[in-house]
Short mmCIF file of all heavy atoms in Angstrom, two decimals:
data_model
loop_
_atom_site.label_atom_id
_atom_site.label_comp_id
_atom_site.label_asym_id
_atom_site.label_seq_id
_atom_site.Cartn_x
_atom_site.Cartn_y
_atom_site.Cartn_z
N ASN Y 282 -12.63 -15.37 -18.69
CA ASN Y 282 -13.77 -15.30 -17.78
C ASN Y 282 -14.65 -16.52 -17.96
O ASN Y 282 -14.33 -17.44 -18.70
CB ASN Y 282 -14.56 -14.00 -18.03
CG ASN Y 282 -14.94 -13.83 -19.48
OD1 ASN Y 282 -15.29 -14.79 -20.15
ND2 ASN Y 282 -14.87 -12.60 -19.98
N GLY Y 283 -15.77 -16.50 -17.27
CA GLY Y 283 -16.66 -17.65 -17.31
C GLY Y 283 -16.18 -18.78 -16.41
O GLY Y 283 -15.25 -18.61 -15.62
N GLU Y 284 -16.81 -19.91 -16.54
CA GLU Y 284 -16.47 -21.04 -15.69
C GLU Y 284 -15.34 -21.86 -16.30
O GLU Y 284 -15.06 -21.79 -17.51
CB GLU Y 284 -17.71 -21.93 -15.49
CG GLU Y 284 -18.84 -21.23 -14.76
CD GLU Y 284 -19.96 -22.18 -14.41
OE1 GLU Y 284 -19.85 -23.38 -14.76
OE2 GLU Y 284 -20.94 -21.73 -13.80
N ILE Y 285 -14.70 -22.63 -15.47
CA ILE Y 285 -13.67 -23.56 -15.95
C ILE Y 285 -14.39 -24.72 -16.62
O ILE Y 285 -15.25 -25.36 -16.01
CB ILE Y 285 -12.81 -24.08 -14.78
CG1 ILE Y 285 -12.12 -22.92 -14.07
CG2 ILE Y 285 -11.78 -25.08 -15.27
CD1 ILE Y 285 -11.40 -23.32 -12.80
N PRO Y 286 -14.08 -25.00 -17.90
CA PRO Y 286 -14.81 -26.08 -18.58
C PRO Y 286 -14.61 -27.43 -17.87
O PRO Y 286 -13.47 -27.83 -17.60
CB PRO Y 286 -14.18 -26.10 -19.98
CG PRO Y 286 -13.45 -24.82 -20.13
CD PRO Y 286 -13.06 -24.38 -18.76
N SER Y 287 -15.70 -28.06 -17.59
CA SER Y 287 -15.59 -29.37 -16.93
C SER Y 287 -14.94 -30.40 -17.85
O SER Y 287 -14.42 -31.42 -17.38
CB SER Y 287 -16.98 -29.86 -16.51
OG SER Y 287 -17.83 -29.96 -17.65
N GLU Y 288 -14.93 -30.11 -19.17
CA GLU Y 288 -14.29 -31.02 -20.12
C GLU Y 288 -12.80 -31.20 -19.86
O GLU Y 288 -12.20 -32.19 -20.29
CB GLU Y 288 -14.50 -30.53 -21.56
CG GLU Y 288 -15.94 -30.61 -22.07
CD GLU Y 288 -16.76 -29.40 -21.69
OE1 GLU Y 288 -16.27 -28.57 -20.87
OE2 GLU Y 288 -17.88 -29.25 -22.19
N LEU Y 289 -12.20 -30.23 -19.17
CA LEU Y 289 -10.76 -30.35 -18.89
C LEU Y 289 -10.46 -31.55 -18.00
O LEU Y 289 -9.31 -31.96 -17.87
CB LEU Y 289 -10.23 -29.07 -18.24
CG LEU Y 289 -10.27 -27.79 -19.09
CD1 LEU Y 289 -9.56 -26.65 -18.38
CD2 LEU Y 289 -9.63 -28.02 -20.46
N ASN Y 290 -11.49 -32.10 -17.40
CA ASN Y 290 -11.30 -33.30 -16.58
C ASN Y 290 -10.86 -34.51 -17.40
O ASN Y 290 -10.44 -35.53 -16.86
CB ASN Y 290 -12.59 -33.65 -15.83
CG ASN Y 290 -12.75 -32.79 -14.58
OD1 ASN Y 290 -11.83 -32.67 -13.79
ND2 ASN Y 290 -13.92 -32.19 -14.43
N SER Y 291 -10.99 -34.39 -18.73
CA SER Y 291 -10.59 -35.51 -19.59
C SER Y 291 -9.12 -35.48 -19.96
O SER Y 291 -8.65 -36.36 -20.68
CB SER Y 291 -11.44 -35.51 -20.87
OG SER Y 291 -11.20 -34.33 -21.63
N LEU Y 292 -8.38 -34.47 -19.47
CA LEU Y 292 -6.94 -34.38 -19.77
C LEU Y 292 -6.20 -35.36 -18.86
O LEU Y 292 -5.57 -34.97 -17.87
CB LEU Y 292 -6.44 -32.95 -19.57
CG LEU Y 292 -7.07 -31.88 -20.48
CD1 LEU Y 292 -6.56 -30.49 -20.13
CD2 LEU Y 292 -6.78 -32.20 -21.94
N GLY Y 293 -6.25 -36.59 -19.21
CA GLY Y 293 -5.73 -37.65 -18.35
C GLY Y 293 -4.23 -37.61 -18.15
O GLY Y 293 -3.71 -38.18 -17.18
N GLN Y 294 -3.48 -36.95 -19.07
CA GLN Y 294 -2.03 -36.91 -18.94
C GLN Y 294 -1.53 -35.63 -18.25
O GLN Y 294 -0.34 -35.50 -17.99
CB GLN Y 294 -1.38 -37.00 -20.34
CG GLN Y 294 -1.71 -38.27 -21.10
CD GLN Y 294 -1.25 -39.51 -20.37
OE1 GLN Y 294 -0.13 -39.54 -19.83
NE2 GLN Y 294 -2.10 -40.52 -20.32
N ILE Y 295 -2.45 -34.71 -17.95
CA ILE Y 295 -2.02 -33.41 -17.41
C ILE Y 295 -1.33 -33.58 -16.07
O ILE Y 295 -1.78 -34.33 -15.21
CB ILE Y 295 -3.25 -32.46 -17.29
CG1 ILE Y 295 -2.78 -31.01 -17.14
CG2 ILE Y 295 -4.16 -32.87 -16.18
CD1 ILE Y 295 -2.37 -30.37 -18.41
N GLN Y 296 -0.21 -32.89 -15.94
CA GLN Y 296 0.56 -32.93 -14.70
C GLN Y 296 0.57 -31.58 -13.99
O GLN Y 296 0.50 -31.53 -12.76
CB GLN Y 296 2.00 -33.37 -14.99
CG GLN Y 296 2.13 -34.78 -15.54
CD GLN Y 296 3.55 -35.13 -15.91
OE1 GLN Y 296 4.49 -34.39 -15.63
NE2 GLN Y 296 3.73 -36.27 -16.58
N LYS Y 297 0.65 -30.49 -14.76
CA LYS Y 297 0.67 -29.16 -14.17
C LYS Y 297 -0.36 -28.30 -14.87
O LYS Y 297 -0.34 -28.16 -16.09
CB LYS Y 297 2.07 -28.53 -14.30
CG LYS Y 297 3.16 -29.32 -13.57
CD LYS Y 297 4.50 -28.62 -13.64
CE LYS Y 297 5.60 -29.47 -13.01
NZ LYS Y 297 5.35 -29.81 -11.61
N LEU Y 298 -1.25 -27.70 -14.08
CA LEU Y 298 -2.34 -26.88 -14.60
C LEU Y 298 -2.37 -25.57 -13.83
O LEU Y 298 -2.50 -25.55 -12.61
CB LEU Y 298 -3.67 -27.61 -14.42
CG LEU Y 298 -4.93 -26.82 -14.77
CD1 LEU Y 298 -4.98 -26.48 -16.24
CD2 LEU Y 298 -6.19 -27.60 -14.37
N ASP Y 299 -2.22 -24.45 -14.56
CA ASP Y 299 -2.21 -23.13 -13.93
C ASP Y 299 -3.17 -22.21 -14.67
O ASP Y 299 -2.93 -21.83 -15.81
CB ASP Y 299 -0.80 -22.54 -13.95
CG ASP Y 299 -0.67 -21.32 -13.03
OD1 ASP Y 299 -1.71 -20.73 -12.68
OD2 ASP Y 299 0.47 -20.96 -12.67
N LEU Y 300 -4.28 -21.88 -14.01
CA LEU Y 300 -5.28 -20.96 -14.57
C LEU Y 300 -5.41 -19.72 -13.70
O LEU Y 300 -6.42 -19.01 -13.75
CB LEU Y 300 -6.64 -21.66 -14.66
CG LEU Y 300 -6.69 -23.00 -15.40
CD1 LEU Y 300 -8.10 -23.55 -15.40
CD2 LEU Y 300 -6.17 -22.86 -16.82
N SER Y 301 -4.41 -19.44 -12.90
CA SER Y 301 -4.49 -18.35 -11.92
C SER Y 301 -4.46 -16.98 -12.58
O SER Y 301 -4.11 -16.83 -13.74
CB SER Y 301 -3.35 -18.48 -10.91
OG SER Y 301 -2.09 -18.38 -11.55
N ARG Y 302 -4.85 -15.97 -11.77
CA ARG Y 302 -4.82 -14.56 -12.18
C ARG Y 302 -5.63 -14.32 -13.45
O ARG Y 302 -5.15 -13.77 -14.42
CB ARG Y 302 -3.39 -14.07 -12.33
CG ARG Y 302 -2.68 -13.85 -11.01
CD ARG Y 302 -1.22 -13.52 -11.18
NE ARG Y 302 -1.03 -12.49 -12.20
CZ ARG Y 302 0.09 -12.34 -12.91
NH1 ARG Y 302 1.11 -13.15 -12.70
NH2 ARG Y 302 0.19 -11.39 -13.81
N ASN Y 303 -6.87 -14.80 -13.43
CA ASN Y 303 -7.84 -14.51 -14.48
C ASN Y 303 -9.11 -14.01 -13.82
O ASN Y 303 -9.09 -13.58 -12.66
CB ASN Y 303 -8.08 -15.76 -15.33
CG ASN Y 303 -6.99 -15.99 -16.35
OD1 ASN Y 303 -6.91 -15.30 -17.36
ND2 ASN Y 303 -6.13 -16.97 -16.09
N ASN Y 304 -10.20 -14.03 -14.55
CA ASN Y 304 -11.49 -13.62 -14.00
C ASN Y 304 -12.48 -14.78 -14.01
O ASN Y 304 -13.68 -14.58 -14.21
CB ASN Y 304 -12.06 -12.44 -14.81
CG ASN Y 304 -11.16 -11.23 -14.78
OD1 ASN Y 304 -10.68 -10.83 -13.73
ND2 ASN Y 304 -10.91 -10.64 -15.94
#
Side-chain angles (χ1 to χ4, degrees):
N282 53 38
E284 297 188 0
I285 300 173
S287 59
E288 291 85 350
L289 295 187
N290 279 311
S291 63
L292 298 176
Q294 300 300 316
I295 197 79
Q296 296 176 9
K297 299 184 185 301
L298 173 65
D299 193 341
L300 307 180
S301 62
R302 286 173 47 206
N303 281 285
N304 299 313

